Amino acid sequence: MDPPPHQEEKLDTAPSEVEKEPVAPVKREHEPTFKTKKKKSFAHEYSLDIPHLASIEFPLRVKNVDKAVDMVGGKEEIARSFLEQDSKLTLNLRPDDPYSHAINSSFLDSDNILAKISIPKRILEKNNRDIQKSINECKEKNIKYKFEPYALLDRNYRFRKLADFQLLTRESKFTNQYLNSIHSGNVQNIKQMSDLILTDRTVENLENKDYDIPPLLKYAGVDIPFQYDFTRNPFSTYVDEDGNLKAVAKRKRVILHTIFIEWDQEPPTTFDPELKPLLEKAEKDCKELKENGLERIMMESSSYYLLECIKLLKVLFRLKPIWIRRHLYWMIPHQFGAILRFALPYKHSEIKYQVHWIMIFNN
């Protein structure tokens, strides 16, 4: 027998009279959780097929662009400096004054980009025209703003040097005559100024007053700023003396008993009497160390170095009565170098006692 034909069963899709409430899914205790990956966001790409320009960093606030361009020589001077690799710009604070001292620039090769940013005016005013804060607010609130590169800044001119001292010559009679004659090229005024100079050549007794003379070409010797970083001296303190502050050294100063005499004075016969206690103390210290069996420590003490340096100097002065300190420094042992200035009777020009330079010259 043939099998009965396939019959399709009809499903009753009509809604049931009693609808079941949705059952919340129950999370199992060890059921793994899966996190969906966020799509990566890439930065916008912009074409750099844009013009190449030069930028000028002015050390002042520019309100009038045309005036600022004239202060560096005009557009022609800027174009020439941009084409010539080794040329620089000069910033003239008073372009109309020939005595104005200009500031030289330094150029820096850079890869900066000049961008054009369009931000809603209300957002910009709300953030006190702070571009970074305005852009951040636009991103947070999904407000449209526009950014596009405008030019590549290949060269940057900077004026980081100090300006020289300036002398204003508006009230100078001589300077005004020079500007109206030689500087302007007026032949008639040049003749008048020449006649004035010829009639005013006489030099009399000069008084102590300000004279009307042309300003110097340069006043300051350096044009590089320096950070002085003034700090308090750690080795000094301040004391109040009758309401006045006075700086006093914390450490006791080393006094060198130097003897200076005039050429016609008699030379000294011995050292300064104030040095005698120091010499006796050095001899006493060495004697005590030697008696206590500390001879090795004695030979490394400053008192021992002082006494030995004096002995060596006496021998050298027997050989020659006048020495230069540098020569003595080269001849004595290196361990005596720091103690030499305390052992010498004179400073800079060392002369033997009871010897005068006139006596040596006559001999």
Side-chain angles (χ1 to χ4, degrees):
M1 291 180 62
D2 296 331
H6 177 71
Q7 296 180 359
E8 296 181 1
E9 295 182 359
K10 294 183 179 181
L11 300 176
D12 188 3
T13 58
S16 59
E17 296 179 358
V18 181
E19 294 182 354
K20 296 182 180 180
E21 296 181 358
V23 180
V26 179
K27 185 178 179 181
R28 298 179 182 177
E29 185 176 357
H30 300 288
E31 183 178 359
T33 57
F34 299 95
K35 295 182 179 180
T36 58
K37 294 184 179 179
K38 295 182 180 180
K39 294 183 178 180
K40 294 181 179 180
S41 59
F42 298 96
H44 296 283
E45 296 182 358
Y46 299 95
S47 174
L48 294 182
D49 187 13
I50 51 180
H52 292 239
L53 302 178
S55 62
I56 302 176
E57 183 181 314
F58 284 91
L60 41 85
R61 183 178 179 183
V62 178
K63 292 184 178 180
N64 190 330
V65 178
D66 296 334
K67 186 176 180 179
V69 172
D70 293 338
M71 292 174 69
V72 294
K75 296 181 179 179
E76 294 79 7
E77 184 67 20
I78 296 175
R80 184 190 64 82
S81 300
F82 184 68
L83 294 176
E84 298 179 6
Q85 297 295 327
D86 297 333
S87 62
K88 298 180 181 180
L89 293 175
T90 56
L91 176 64
N92 200 330
L93 301 178
R94 301 189 307 281
D96 299 332
D97 188 357
Y99 293 111
S100 175
H101 294 179
I103 307 174
N104 295 324
S105 71
S106 59
F107 63 88
L108 176 68
D109 294 332
S110 62
D111 297 325
N112 297 331
I113 297 176
L114 178 64
K116 181 179 179 181
I117 304 174
S118 301
I119 301 174
K121 189 175 180 180
R122 58 184 179 84
I123 302 296
L124 195 61
E125 296 295 338
K126 179 182 176 182
N127 294 282
N128 296 325
R129 308 189 71 83
D130 190 326
I131 297 177
Q132 187 61 49
K133 291 182 179 179
S134 301
I135 292 176
N136 294 336
E137 185 175 350
C138 291
K139 290 181 178 180
E140 293 174 358
K141 298 181 179 180
N142 294 326
I143 300 175
K144 291 184 179 180
Y145 69 95
K146 190 176 181 182
F147 174 90
E148 58 178 344
Y150 183 78
L152 285 174
L153 304 180
D154 293 339
R155 177 172 293 192
N156 177 252
Y157 293 92
R158 298 179 177 180
F159 297 94
R160 299 292 179 87
K161 297 181 179 180
L162 292 177
D164 193 15
F165 294 100
Q166 308 287 332
L167 179 62
L168 300 180
T169 57
R170 299 192 192 99
E171 306 298 330
S172 174
K173 182 180 178 181
F174 176 82
T175 303
N176 291 329
Q177 289 178 347
Y178 168 79
L179 295 178
N180 296 328
S181 57
I182 299 176
H183 185 70
S184 62
N186 191 317
V187 179
Q188 187 63 29
N189 292 341
I190 292 176
K191 292 181 179 180
Q192 294 178 1
M193 186 173 183
S194 176
D195 296 338
L196 179 63
I197 294 175
L198 292 175
T199 56
D200 196 20
R201 289 189 305 176
T202 58
V203 179
E204 300 178 355
N205 294 330
L206 300 177
E207 300 178 0
N208 187 12
K209 64 178 183 179
D210 294 334
Y211 288 91
D212 189 9
I213 58 176
L216 300 179
L217 297 177
K218 192 174 181 61
Y219 290 98
V222 294
D223 53 4
I224 301 175
F226 181 76
Q227 185 69 25
Y228 287 93
D229 247 351
F230 288 108
T231 57
R232 183 174 177 177
N233 186 359
F235 302 106
S236 65
T237 184
Y238 294 90
V239 294
D240 189 359
E241 293 185 357
D242 300 331
N244 298 323
L245 291 178
K246 182 180 179 181
V248 179
K250 294 181 180 179
R251 296 187 302 181
K252 188 176 180 181
R253 293 178 57 188
V254 178
I255 300 176
L256 297 178
H257 296 269
T258 306
I259 303 175
F260 295 97
I261 62 172
E262 298 294 336
W263 67 274
D264 56 348
Q265 292 180 353
E266 290 295 329
T269 58
T270 183
F271 52 83
D272 194 332
E274 295 185 10
L275 291 174
K276 189 173 182 180
L278 300 177
L279 181 62
E280 293 177 351
K281 182 179 183 301
E283 294 174 348
K284 181 181 178 181
D285 293 341
C286 291
K287 184 178 179 181
E288 291 180 355
L289 291 173
K290 189 174 182 180
E291 291 177 352
N292 295 329
L294 303 175
E295 190 173 352
R296 182 178 178 182
I297 298 178
M298 179 199 70
M299 297 180 64
E300 296 179 358
S301 64
S302 58
S303 299
Y304 177 79
Y305 286 166
L306 177 62
L307 297 177
E308 292 298 317
C309 186
I310 292 174
K311 292 179 183 178
L312 182 57
L313 289 175
K314 288 181 179 180
V315 176
L316 293 175
F317 277 109
R318 292 194 197 103
L319 299 176
K320 191 172 69 170
I322 297 179
W323 289 88
I324 298 175
R325 178 185 292 189
R326 180 55 57 183
H327 292 171
L328 294 173
Y329 184 80
W330 289 336
M331 296 184 67
I332 64 176
H334 67 88
Q335 62 265 28
F336 294 163
I339 209 71
L340 176 63
R341 58 175 181 166
F342 301 100
L344 285 171
Y346 280 67
K347 189 177 182 182
H348 298 306
S349 180
E350 284 66 34
I351 305 176
K352 185 179 178 181
Y353 290 128
Q354 295 182 327
V355 175
H356 203 287
W357 66 274
I358 297 178
M359 297 169 55
I360 300 173
F361 182 77
N362 292 334
N363 293 333

